Amino acid sequence: MSEQYHAIYEELGMDVALHEQMVQSIHEGFERCVLSQTGRPEGMAYFDSLVEAAHGSRVQEVLDHKAAGGAFIGTFCIYVPDEVAWALGVLPLALCGGTGFTVPYAEARMPRDICPLIKSTLGMAFSGCCPFGGIKDMAVGETTCDAKKKTWDVMAAWGINFHVMEVPQTKGERTAALWAAEVEEFRTRLEELSGRKLQADALTDAVRVMNRKRRALAELHAFRAEERPPISGTDVLVVTQGALVDDPERFSEHLEALNEELAERVTQGISPVAEGARRIMVGGSPAVMGNWKLHHLIETSGGVVVADESCTGTRYFEHLVPEIEDDVDAQLAAIADRYLQIDCACFSPNAERMENVVRLAQHYHVEGAIQYILQYCHGYNVEAINVAATLDEIGVPSLTIETDYSEEDAGQLRTRIEAFMEMAPAVR
Amino acid sequence: MSEQYHAIYEELGMDVALHEQMVQSIHEGFERCVLSQTGRPEGMAYFDSLVEAAHGSRVQEVLDHKAAGGAFIGTFCIYVPDEVAWALGVLPLALCGGTGFTVPYAEARMPRDICPLIKSTLGMAFSGCCPFGGIKDMAVGETTCDAKKKTWDVMAAWGINFHVMEVPQTKGERTAALWAAEVEEFRTRLEELSGRKLQADALTDAVRVMNRKRRALAELHAFRAEERPPISGTDVLVVTQGALVDDPERFSEHLEALNEELAERVTQGISPVAEGARRIMVGGSPAVMGNWKLHHLIETSGGVVVADESCTGTRYFEHLVPEIEDDVDAQLAAIADRYLQIDCACFSPNAERMENVVRLAQHYHVEGAIQYILQYCHGYNVEAINVAATLDEIGVPSLTIETDYSEEDAGQLRTRIEAFMEMAPAVR
């Protein structure tokens, strides 16, 4: 598969054989969970290819970008404003791991009881399986959870060039000012890294690039409100995951084409979703590339995922940034403001999230919600109590599932999900 | 034991029989871990009595305080500035649970994989075993960890009057301003609660009261630097735990008397510590009243705990607040500034903590450090990596222990601790 990049991997000092095994393991999961589906839109072919590209052609693109004098940063959270990087010719790429393959390599050096997403990410670096780790000019962390926050400190102590953005924990005037200052500091840090000054026109252009991607994703997700969605929830997840790693312009182009195909499918009444499938909203922790476990279980247990209330769902694309011209400061302020609308569980209280959960459940005609909690993710795990109560108030039954990246609990989860499907009352 | 307060407990709607069982279970642990020691200072009698008082006479005192028109708040973190409450006639009391007895009651309603301190605290409330929960006028939470932060949201949703202070996650000018504003808001909230205005003289007095307690604790802990400390580490922990719940003036009075006794002991060469006992620093998570597990294990395995680098140790009493007269704003600013010196693992990066770990290890002539991690406490757990590396640099071996409030792992821990004692090189 990724043989043509072996020379590059050798040069990057990676463990080529182990990396090949990892890619193979990801591909097996992809075949089992995604490619096994039937009635998929033709336009999915491009997004399917991104899974392979993430450990192949995308690496080459990053190297080409660097060879042309551009900088490259790794990020771990959708709170990091890509626009600012993009406008400075800095390529940002989400380095979040979705494979269980590398988890043991992290557990050898870090506490076992931190979330699988962090462990997968770190394990990829520790095992020599991350093509991007060694070529990034800087890593950008944030303070959205204890485990990540403290991990950045450890990585910094181990010599990795880390910039940490403080995402506040409450929302209000004071913390909005704090966050705006953090965005401003991010700009300064990236100006130093890139050796460029942030220009108004470049920033407006970057905002447009990212907004275009957000609009295309919003359009994609909107199809899920259809009585019989023209695309499965698993496929929507695959597309959204791709948004975190692909070139934004190329991504938007392909997504706009897919959306056209989906509109046509709606007109023609084509849907891969079985009639009577339970309409499920998945909420909570993100499911990044490599992780299709829950969506696959739901959609092979009589359900269809019609909404993703997560960082690989609505949290990623909702809220456009106002496109302001000729005023860097105003544009930066608008960017800061947009990101602060993300209703991450890191905020206390998080009334906005409760409102959004209700809005999404109603908009997508949800019949049941499954709260997806990555094991040891305190934020979404504890907040699940308030989310379940909120859903209960509007008559939407919910099930909270805490799981990791392994397949060990798949049978048990399937039993619970099937029981939930039978329980969930049809409210259509 | 607490029979004389049964009528009060009935009136508070508590589960009197269960509460009695809990008190009994705490007392059994106290006998096993604390009272079983020999050669204890006479002055410990008062501090021993605080364990019983916490579920007896202290409740009566709080009720008397309320009957006299004073307000009462429950706190869960040493970041909450007691001075501000005290100056407004508001009695603050730390409601942190140190007993495993109530943990199952929390696990029935909350995720199991959050730390035992939070579960013990919540379980006490849920099981009708907390005398203070029902009489507090307000609970004051903070944002020092994900699990607590999100728990406050759940409690607020369940109708508990919660005020949450945002403790920042990085240290710098911006966040110092944020924290100062949080202290100011805390003042406003307590002024509303108490119906009083904060007066300069009352605030200065309150600062003096708390500083007196800090000085006395600092003097107590200083004795541990002696070659043969006149008091065990377990007893120092008992005293420090008492500081979180007792009346501060009475506490200081008794502690000053104990310190005199200890000074006399030093002169006379009296020590309960066996010659050649390994000098151990315990660092990381706090051990609140009811929790004497680790100190007991260390001090019955050939060690003596000579330093507590924790919220029930140095973090609690180091740094006095400058005593400023006739200027409420300046005094509040000084208070905010003092608290921001606490090097909680919630800060990223946490260079201050590394410096303090080195300073304490050297000052107390530490021969080994045991990092005490309450299970699922991501902050101290991940930071343990950097702490261990820091200790290693100065030649202090360390052992990281992650444990909960149960006794199930006591045997295994003892084996590990004994092995560590043999390994730790004497550096005296």
Side-chain angles (χ1 to χ4, degrees):
Chain A
M1 262 180 317
S2 57
E3 285 87 354
Q4 64 183 115
Y5 301 101
H6 279 189
I8 294 173
Y9 295 158
E10 293 277 7
E11 210 169 312
L12 294 174
M14 289 169 57
D15 185 329
V16 179
L18 192 70
H19 179 262
E20 192 58 38
Q21 281 179 44
M22 180 190 78
V23 167
Q24 188 56 40
S25 129
I26 293 173
H27 192 75
E28 278 165 20
F30 191 60
E31 279 198 325
R32 184 166 42 79
C33 299
V34 180
L35 300 180
S36 62
Q37 302 173 100
T38 54
R40 303 179 74 210
E42 280 177 25
M44 278 306 296
Y46 174 74
F47 301 98
D48 288 349
S49 78
L50 292 179
V51 178
E52 201 168 316
H55 286 264
S57 59
R58 192 74 183 121
V59 182
Q60 186 62 60
E61 286 174 4
V62 171
L63 288 170
D64 293 346
H65 173 80
K66 283 178 63 95
F72 165 58
I73 56 171
T75 66
F76 309 91
C77 177
I78 62 167
Y79 245 98
V80 176
D82 283 346
E83 290 87 344
V84 181
W86 196 254
L88 285 161
V90 176
L91 199 158
L93 204 135
L95 298 187
C96 296
T99 172
F101 185 87
T102 53
V103 165
Y105 299 91
E107 289 178 341
R109 296 169 75 175
M110 303 290 292
R112 292 174 68 93
D113 48 7
I114 57 175
C115 95
L117 195 156
I118 302 176
K119 286 189 290 191
S120 174
T121 306
L122 293 177
M124 223 176 279
F126 297 165
S127 64
C129 282
C130 180
F132 300 107
I135 55 177
K136 68 179 179 304
D137 297 292
M138 191 169 78
V140 182
E142 20 58 52
T143 59
T144 50
C145 76
D146 293 341
K148 279 205 284 181
K149 178 171 70 177
K150 299 317 295 180
T151 296
W152 312 148
D153 292 356
V154 174
M155 296 304 117
W158 291 355
I160 293 169
N161 181 20
F162 243 98
H163 176 74
V164 178
M165 300 186 78
E166 174 156 5
V167 176
Q169 308 182 72
T170 60
K171 286 186 182 178
E173 263 180 50
R174 279 201 292 276
T175 48
L178 172 71
W179 174 242
E182 289 289 328
V183 172
E184 180 59 37
E185 191 172 299
F186 180 57
R187 167 249 192 110
T188 306
R189 190 79 193 265
L190 289 185
E191 284 185 340
E192 288 163 11
L193 188 77
S194 64
R196 297 196 201 177
K197 285 297 276 180
L198 187 62
Q199 303 297 333
D201 55 348
L203 187 55
T204 312
D205 282 350
V207 167
R208 287 189 178 126
V209 166
M210 301 307 164
N211 275 349
R212 181 184 172 194
K213 177 160 76 165
R214 291 186 187 114
R215 277 194 198 94
L217 282 165
E219 205 184 321
L220 167 70
H221 284 253
F223 287 112
R224 309 170 87 180
E226 294 289 336
E227 197 178 325
R228 288 196 59 203
I231 183 167
S232 72
T234 303
D235 278 351
V236 173
L237 178 67
V238 168
V239 175
T240 312
Q241 288 171 341
L244 293 162
V245 292
D246 196 19
D247 175 86
E249 289 171 307
R250 181 176 56 207
F251 176 88
S252 298
E253 219 168 276
H254 283 277
L255 182 48
E256 286 158 7
L258 174 65
N259 286 337
E260 277 179 36
E261 183 188 349
L262 295 179
E264 186 58 32
R265 281 188 153 217
V266 170
T267 309
Q268 298 185 5
I270 301 171
S271 169
V273 178
E275 218 164 327
R278 294 286 168 142
R279 302 176 64 86
I280 302 296
M281 174 163 77
V282 170
S285 304
V288 298
M289 192 181 277
N291 179 8
W292 308 283
K293 179 175 168 177
L294 183 66
H295 285 65
H296 171 67
L297 281 170
I298 294 170
E299 300 202 322
T300 51
S301 299
V304 52
V305 181
V306 294
D308 286 280
E309 187 270 324
S310 74
C311 296
T312 41
T314 50
R315 269 193 266 290
Y316 183 66
F317 64 79
E318 287 196 332
H319 312 294
L320 299 178
V321 178
E323 294 166 11
I324 297 168
E325 289 182 352
D326 303 322
D327 189 337
V328 168
D329 290 342
Q331 184 65 89
L332 278 179
I335 289 169
D337 189 51
R338 182 267 163 193
Y339 280 85
L340 209 50
Q341 292 180 66
I342 300 173
D343 59 353
C344 174
C346 69
F347 292 98
S348 168
N350 204 1
E352 268 178 356
R353 185 170 175 221
M354 302 308 143
E355 287 161 20
N356 287 331
V357 161
V358 169
R359 172 177 60 80
L360 295 170
Q362 291 174 337
H363 177 75
Y364 290 102
H365 314 294
V366 158
E367 293 166 320
I370 296 186
Q371 294 200 62
Y372 176 59
I373 314 298
L374 286 178
Q375 200 178 22
Y376 308 124
C377 170
H378 295 335
Y380 285 105
N381 204 356
V382 178
E383 188 149 290
I385 297 170
N386 281 357
V387 170
T390 300
L391 287 165
D392 189 55
E393 275 171 30
I394 58 165
V396 174
S398 74
L399 172 69
T400 299
I401 280 177
E402 189 183 355
T403 183
D404 60 13
Y405 282 180
S406 77
E407 285 296 321
E408 281 169 33
D409 60 351
Q412 188 205 19
L413 289 183
R414 185 177 292 282
T415 306
R416 289 181 64 197
I417 291 168
E418 283 175 352
F420 178 69
M421 295 296 173
E422 284 171 27
M423 225 181 63
V427 293
R428 264 183 288 192
Chain B
M1 262 179 316
S2 58
E3 285 87 354
Q4 65 183 114
Y5 301 101
H6 279 189
I8 293 173
Y9 297 158
E10 293 278 8
E11 210 169 310
L12 294 174
M14 288 168 57
D15 186 328
V16 178
L18 193 69
H19 179 261
E20 192 57 39
Q21 280 178 46
M22 180 190 77
V23 168
Q24 187 57 40
S25 128
I26 293 173
H27 192 75
E28 279 166 19
F30 192 60
E31 279 197 325
R32 184 166 42 79
C33 300
V34 181
L35 299 181
S36 62
Q37 301 174 101
T38 54
R40 304 178 73 210
E42 280 178 25
M44 280 305 296
Y46 174 73
F47 301 98
D48 288 349
S49 78
L50 292 179
V51 178
E52 200 168 316
H55 285 265
S57 60
R58 192 74 183 122
V59 183
Q60 185 62 59
E61 285 174 3
V62 171
L63 288 170
D64 293 347
H65 173 81
K66 284 178 62 95
F72 166 58
I73 57 170
T75 65
F76 309 92
C77 177
I78 61 165
Y79 245 99
V80 176
D82 282 347
E83 290 88 343
V84 181
W86 196 254
L88 285 162
V90 177
L91 198 157
L93 205 135
L95 299 186
C96 297
T99 172
F101 184 87
T102 53
V103 164
Y105 299 91
E107 289 178 340
R109 297 169 76 175
M110 304 291 291
R112 292 173 68 93
D113 48 7
I114 56 175
C115 94
L117 195 156
I118 302 176
K119 287 190 289 191
S120 173
T121 306
L122 293 176
M124 223 177 277
F126 297 165
S127 64
C129 283
C130 181
F132 299 106
I135 55 177
K136 69 179 177 304
D137 298 293
M138 190 168 80
V140 182
E142 22 56 53
T143 59
T144 50
C145 77
D146 293 343
K148 279 206 284 181
K149 177 170 73 177
K150 300 317 295 180
T151 296
W152 312 149
D153 292 357
V154 173
M155 296 304 117
W158 289 355
I160 292 169
N161 181 22
F162 243 99
H163 176 73
V164 177
M165 299 185 79
E166 175 157 4
V167 176
Q169 307 181 73
T170 60
K171 286 185 183 178
E173 263 179 51
R174 280 200 292 277
T175 49
L178 173 71
W179 174 243
E182 289 290 327
V183 172
E184 179 60 38
E185 192 173 299
F186 180 55
R187 168 249 193 110
T188 306
R189 191 76 193 266
L190 289 186
E191 284 185 340
E192 288 163 13
L193 188 78
S194 63
R196 297 197 201 175
K197 285 299 273 182
L198 187 62
Q199 303 297 333
D201 54 347
L203 187 54
T204 312
D205 282 350
V207 167
R208 288 190 177 126
V209 166
M210 300 306 164
N211 275 349
R212 180 184 171 193
K213 178 160 75 165
R214 291 184 187 115
R215 278 194 198 93
L217 282 165
E219 205 184 323
L220 168 69
H221 284 253
F223 286 113
R224 310 170 87 180
E226 295 288 336
E227 198 178 324
R228 287 193 61 200
I231 183 167
S232 72
T234 303
D235 277 350
V236 172
L237 179 67
V238 168
V239 175
T240 313
Q241 288 172 340
L244 293 163
V245 293
D246 195 18
D247 175 85
E249 289 171 308
R250 184 176 53 207
F251 176 88
S252 299
E253 218 169 279
H254 284 277
L255 182 47
E256 286 158 6
L258 174 65
N259 285 338
E260 279 179 35
E261 183 188 349
L262 295 179
E264 186 57 32
R265 281 187 153 217
V266 170
T267 309
Q268 299 185 3
I270 301 171
S271 169
V273 179
E275 217 163 327
R278 295 286 168 143
R279 301 177 66 86
I280 302 296
M281 174 163 77
V282 171
S285 304
V288 299
M289 192 180 275
N291 178 9
W292 307 283
K293 180 175 168 175
L294 183 65
H295 285 65
H296 171 67
L297 282 171
I298 293 171
E299 300 203 321
T300 52
S301 300
V304 51
V305 181
V306 294
D308 286 280
E309 188 270 324
S310 74
C311 296
T312 42
T314 49
R315 270 193 265 291
Y316 183 64
F317 64 80
E318 286 195 335
H319 312 294
L320 299 178
V321 178
E323 294 167 11
I324 297 168
E325 290 184 353
D326 305 322
D327 189 337
V328 168
D329 290 342
Q331 183 67 90
L332 278 179
I335 289 170
D337 190 51
R338 182 265 162 193
Y339 281 85
L340 208 50
Q341 292 181 65
I342 300 173
D343 59 353
C344 174
C346 69
F347 291 98
S348 168
N350 204 1
E352 270 178 355
R353 186 171 174 220
M354 301 309 142
E355 288 161 21
N356 287 329
V357 161
V358 170
R359 173 178 58 81
L360 295 171
Q362 292 174 337
H363 178 77
Y364 290 102
H365 314 295
V366 159
E367 294 166 319
I370 297 186
Q371 294 201 62
Y372 176 60
I373 313 299
L374 286 178
Q375 201 179 21
Y376 307 125
C377 171
H378 295 334
Y380 285 105
N381 204 356
V382 179
E383 188 150 290
I385 297 170
N386 281 356
V387 171
T390 300
L391 287 165
D392 189 54
E393 275 171 30
I394 57 163
V396 174
S398 73
L399 172 69
T400 299
I401 281 178
E402 189 183 354
T403 182
D404 60 12
Y405 282 180
S406 77
E407 285 296 320
E408 281 170 34
D409 60 353
Q412 189 204 19
L413 289 182
R414 185 177 291 282
T415 306
R416 288 180 65 198
I417 290 169
E418 282 173 352
F420 178 68
M421 294 298 172
E422 283 171 28
M423 225 180 63
V427 292
R428 266 185 287 193

